[in-house]
Amino acid sequence: MRRRRLKAWLVICILGIIVLVTRLAQIQLVSTESFSKHGINLLEGSVSQRTQEMVIDNGRGNFLDRSGKPLIYESIPVLILFPFLNHLEWPVEEVASVIGVSERKILESLDEADGPIAFGNPEPYLLSKHEMAAINKLKIPGVFAVERKYPLSDTQAEQLIGITGENPKLLEERYGDKEFSPRTLVGLSGLEKSFDEFLVGEGKTKLVYHVDGIGSPLFGINVKYSEPANPFYPINIKTTIDKDLQELAENLVDKHQVKNGGLVLLDIESNNILAMVSRPHLNRKNPFGDLGVENQMLKQHIPGSVFKTVVAAAAIDYGLALPSRTFNCSENIYGDEDPNFQHGELDFTQSFARSCNRTFADLAKELKAKDAEMMDEYAEKLSLIGSVGWKGSVFHTEDFRQLPDENLGRVFKSEEARYDNNYVALSAIGQHEVRVTPLAIANMMATIARGGDKQMVRVVESVEYHNGSKVFGFDQSKLPGDTISPFTAQKLQKLLREVVVDEEGTGRWFKELPYSVAGKSGTAETGILKDGKQNHNKWFAGYFPYENPKYALVTVNLGVHSDQGGINPLFAEMVKEIYNFDQEN
């Protein structure tokens, strides 16, 4: 009996040893890089337990403005201190003397550290080039003066540039054939997403040293400097954004309390985006939980009377805008008395300047009788239908798009609406199923200002290596398809100017600005009631100076009450600030 028990215990012990050996083999030999259902990399974990590191550069590329100023990260010269200095006698007084601080401050910061630190609290202490050189000349182990990459605290154009995050599944989907750490950042939205293949990190630059169980140096006090093997990385994406104008635009949008909306500013000659602001603000803690991650300047919205520009272009070409012709602008689009506006009889030019709905409803129905697809055709000629962002071949990608999140505009959603006079009348004044993006409207204004020259909108000029040499450049390109004639563009230019100079024009508030403005207002009913009141999208789109066009600007406030959220003050102040900017530069 006793022998039987011993045999049983012996079998149990042997089985236990086999289980332990098997488990140990799994940990040490088999599942070293993907242990358990969580896919834990045991090798990385083991290394991280016995190393301490200070990341100098996360390896991901940066975005620059048109003059080379950083938009996401900046490199700051800082003093790096390693905690093993607490166990050594080292010339702290010499370091303190170089940077002009007390020895006590340096030692206190080290005493509280559980890993390498950038000296300074709460912000890192910025070194001069002279201080950097003097510190590194001392050659003190564990003391380094380096340029470390930090995210900018006031990131601008946040929706346009987009966000990044750790997403191993997405990383594998995009780059399955390449070896990247699972913690590599990938672009999730905006330019970070569209240019991710250029930006994705080749590896971190870091200072590393090995420690024992209590944090003391394991292999002496040597610190290893580790960086990617390719000196041309990280890549820089040089955008067309002007950082100063972007900051100015961001501040003005917030000053005028635009909660949902924003602005787009284009350079007319190059058709480059100089500034783009979208609200609401991006919530980086929960970016996909609200509208903040969406760029409202690339989303389709109801444009209201801004769309009358399309009808005007078609009416000019088809001889419906005769100077002698008048319209009853005391009536609404259905021929009933208008309770809000009693303009009386107006000609075509006055109708456009004062935004008479009846005129453009009548014209649209006459155009429909000629061709039911007339408004679609002219909306496309003026770049409101289809994408306007730069697209073309980039290396192995034939249809690369700088702005892949850009919505496509439309006039009619349903085919039956195209043949219904009531729906046609509503569409003529930018209501019903008409949807356009603010970027497309800005491009329409730029196209008119250039005399009908329809171009793609660029937001990135080039992709550059870390040393500044060019990887790829994005040339100025025409938008495909028909456009308006120079004659029609000239007529539209005069109409847009009349909006401002007419004593009752909807843009008369801009008459005294330092730059002469041409443009069109829009107030669209959204069909959404808030507090029992109808909500509106409020627009002003235009270009300036009128005599020598340089900028196209669109401002929009979305979903506001009729007696709130006026957009004219924002447009006016932006024009003034741009004028001041030009005088100073």
Side-chain angles (χ1 to χ4, degrees):
M1 186 71 140
R2 183 168 179 169
R3 181 178 289 180
R4 208 177 292 161
R5 281 202 210 100
L6 285 173
K7 285 182 178 178
W9 276 111
L10 185 60
V11 170
I12 291 170
C13 288
I14 292 172
L15 289 174
I17 291 171
I18 291 172
V19 170
L20 288 173
V21 170
T22 302
R23 185 66 164 173
L24 190 60
Q26 181 190 13
I27 293 172
Q28 296 282 354
L29 303 174
V30 180
S31 302
T32 55
E33 296 186 17
S34 184
F35 179 69
S36 83
K37 63 180 181 180
H38 301 293
I40 299 170
N41 191 316
L42 296 174
L43 294 177
E44 284 188 357
S46 172
V47 171
S48 66
Q49 282 185 336
R50 54 189 172 83
T51 60
Q52 289 190 351
E53 64 181 37
M54 168 65 76
V55 175
I56 306 302
D57 191 318
N58 65 8
R60 188 166 178 85
N62 198 2
F63 287 92
L64 310 177
D65 86 337
R66 62 176 179 169
S67 62
K69 298 175 186 174
L71 294 173
I72 301 295
Y73 303 106
E74 61 179 339
S75 293
I76 298 177
V78 295
L79 174 65
I80 304 296
L81 302 172
F82 280 77
F84 63 69
L85 290 166
N86 287 320
H87 307 289
L88 303 174
E89 291 290 333
W90 62 286
V92 60
E93 69 282 354
E94 293 187 41
V95 176
S97 174
V98 169
I99 64 176
V101 301
S102 68
E103 298 174 33
R104 182 174 59 84
K105 280 189 177 180
I106 296 176
L107 293 174
E108 283 178 353
S109 65
L110 265 175
D111 187 53
E112 298 169 359
D114 55 4
I117 63 166
F119 174 72
N121 185 30
E123 298 294 328
Y125 182 91
L126 270 64
L127 303 176
S128 67
K129 289 185 178 181
H130 172 75
E131 290 170 336
M132 286 184 71
I135 289 169
N136 289 330
K137 190 175 181 181
L138 294 174
K139 295 184 178 180
I140 303 170
V143 179
F144 301 89
V146 299
E147 286 197 348
R148 189 183 184 206
K149 193 162 78 173
Y150 286 87
L152 289 167
S153 57
D154 58 339
T155 302
Q156 298 168 346
E158 48 193 5
Q159 291 90 348
L160 175 64
I161 290 172
I163 60 173
T164 60
E166 294 178 8
N167 190 324
K169 184 179 179 181
L170 184 59
L171 185 69
E172 185 176 357
E173 287 176 5
R174 290 182 186 171
Y175 313 108
D177 58 336
K178 296 182 180 180
E179 291 187 9
F180 285 118
S181 163
R183 302 200 65 181
T184 300
L185 294 175
V186 291
L188 302 178
S189 69
L191 297 178
E192 291 278 17
K193 179 181 176 181
S194 56
F195 284 86
D196 190 55
E197 191 170 351
F198 295 102
L199 294 164
V200 67
E202 291 284 311
K204 298 176 180 178
T205 300
K206 51 192 176 182
L207 296 166
V208 183
Y209 81 108
H210 298 272
V211 295
D212 60 18
I214 61 172
S216 297
L218 189 59
F219 304 119
I221 54 178
N222 291 327
V223 174
K224 181 181 177 183
Y225 180 81
S226 171
E227 65 177 342
N230 195 330
F232 294 103
Y233 287 79
I235 289 286
N236 287 321
I237 306 297
K238 188 175 183 181
T239 71
T240 63
I241 296 294
D242 186 292
K243 191 172 183 178
D244 295 331
L245 287 174
Q246 180 67 36
E247 183 177 5
L248 188 125
E250 300 264 1
N251 292 337
L252 287 181
V253 167
D254 289 336
K255 175 183 175 181
H256 291 277
Q257 300 180 359
V258 176
K259 306 299 183 185
N260 188 15
L263 66 76
V264 180
L265 178 67
L266 296 184
D267 176 272
I268 288 176
E269 182 180 357
S270 63
N271 222 38
N272 289 342
I273 297 175
L274 297 177
M276 179 179 280
V277 181
S278 176
R279 295 290 182 266
H281 279 285
L282 177 63
N283 179 1
R284 293 190 177 273
K285 293 182 179 178
N286 185 26
F288 296 100
D290 50 35
L291 293 176
V293 75
E294 292 189 343
N295 189 338
Q296 297 301 322
M297 301 302 99
L298 303 181
K299 298 302 175 186
Q300 55 176 226
H301 306 289
I302 308 171
S305 294
V306 175
F307 190 77
K308 290 173 183 173
T309 310
V310 172
V311 182
I316 291 167
D317 281 357
Y318 281 84
L320 303 181
L322 299 174
S324 59
R325 186 178 180 185
T326 61
F327 303 83
N328 187 348
C329 290
S330 293
E331 294 179 351
N332 62 22
I333 62 174
Y334 307 110
D336 301 322
E337 185 176 344
D338 193 321
N340 299 314
F341 302 103
Q342 292 293 306
H343 291 304
E345 291 288 327
L346 299 180
D347 63 23
F348 176 71
T349 300
Q350 293 169 324
S351 293
F352 189 86
R354 303 176 193 185
S355 205
C356 171
N357 288 342
R358 176 62 191 273
T359 300
F360 290 89
D362 286 354
L363 290 171
K365 286 185 281 188
E366 292 173 25
L367 290 166
K368 188 215 80 171
K370 294 177 180 293
D371 184 348
E373 296 187 357
M374 186 78 73
M375 279 201 286
D376 302 80
E377 178 187 334
Y378 274 80
E380 187 171 1
K381 284 184 175 184
L382 286 165
S383 79
L384 296 186
I385 292 179
S387 64
V388 300
W390 194 99
K391 60 182 177 182
S393 295
V394 177
F395 297 132
H396 58 276
T397 305
E398 292 184 4
D399 190 28
F400 181 87
R401 297 177 64 191
Q402 290 191 358
L403 299 168
D405 297 328
E406 178 192 1
N407 286 174
L408 307 182
R410 68 165 191 254
V411 180
F412 296 102
K413 185 177 181 181
S414 58
E415 194 65 21
E416 59 186 328
R418 194 189 310 278
Y419 296 92
D420 185 298
N421 274 346
N422 286 334
Y423 289 146
V424 167
L426 283 168
S427 301
I429 61 173
Q431 293 284 166
H432 191 49
E433 296 172 343
V434 180
R435 300 291 185 275
V436 297
T437 68
L439 179 64
I441 289 181
N443 197 48
M444 175 179 74
M445 290 295 165
T447 299
I448 294 169
R450 284 193 298 265
D453 180 15
K454 193 168 67 170
Q455 299 182 12
M456 293 181 186
V457 176
R458 289 186 302 177
V459 69
V460 171
E461 285 184 13
S462 59
V463 178
E464 299 179 348
Y465 286 121
H466 192 58
N467 64 3
S469 60
K470 188 181 292 186
V471 180
F472 188 88
F474 296 89
D475 295 330
Q476 209 169 333
S477 301
K478 302 281 187 184
L479 266 177
D482 293 337
T483 186
I484 57 173
S485 68
F487 172 81
T488 306
Q490 186 180 44
K491 290 289 187 181
L492 289 176
Q493 290 168 5
K494 291 179 179 178
L495 287 176
L496 293 168
R497 180 58 177 161
E498 278 297 316
V499 171
V500 176
V501 299
D502 187 290
E503 60 183 18
E504 294 183 42
T506 56
R508 58 189 179 276
W509 322 105
F510 309 127
K511 195 180 297 186
E512 303 302 325
L513 292 178
Y515 274 143
S516 53
V517 171
K520 186 73 187 78
S521 61
T523 302
E525 294 183 355
T526 64
I528 300 172
L529 294 178
K530 186 177 181 182
D531 303 331
K533 297 180 180 179
Q534 173 70 248
N535 271 11
H536 297 80
N537 294 342
K538 297 189 176 183
W539 303 74
F540 197 88
Y543 66 90
F544 52 92
Y546 173 69
E547 299 80 5
N548 184 25
K550 189 174 180 182
Y551 303 101
L553 174 64
V554 172
T555 55
V556 59
N557 203 355
L558 302 168
V560 293
H561 290 166
S562 60
D563 56 347
Q564 298 173 349
I567 206 67
N568 289 347
L570 171 59
F571 189 98
E573 191 163 359
M574 188 68 188
V575 173
K576 291 176 185 176
E577 292 294 344
I578 292 171
Y579 175 82
N580 293 335
F581 173 85
D582 285 345
Q583 300 307 304
E584 295 169 4
N585 291 278

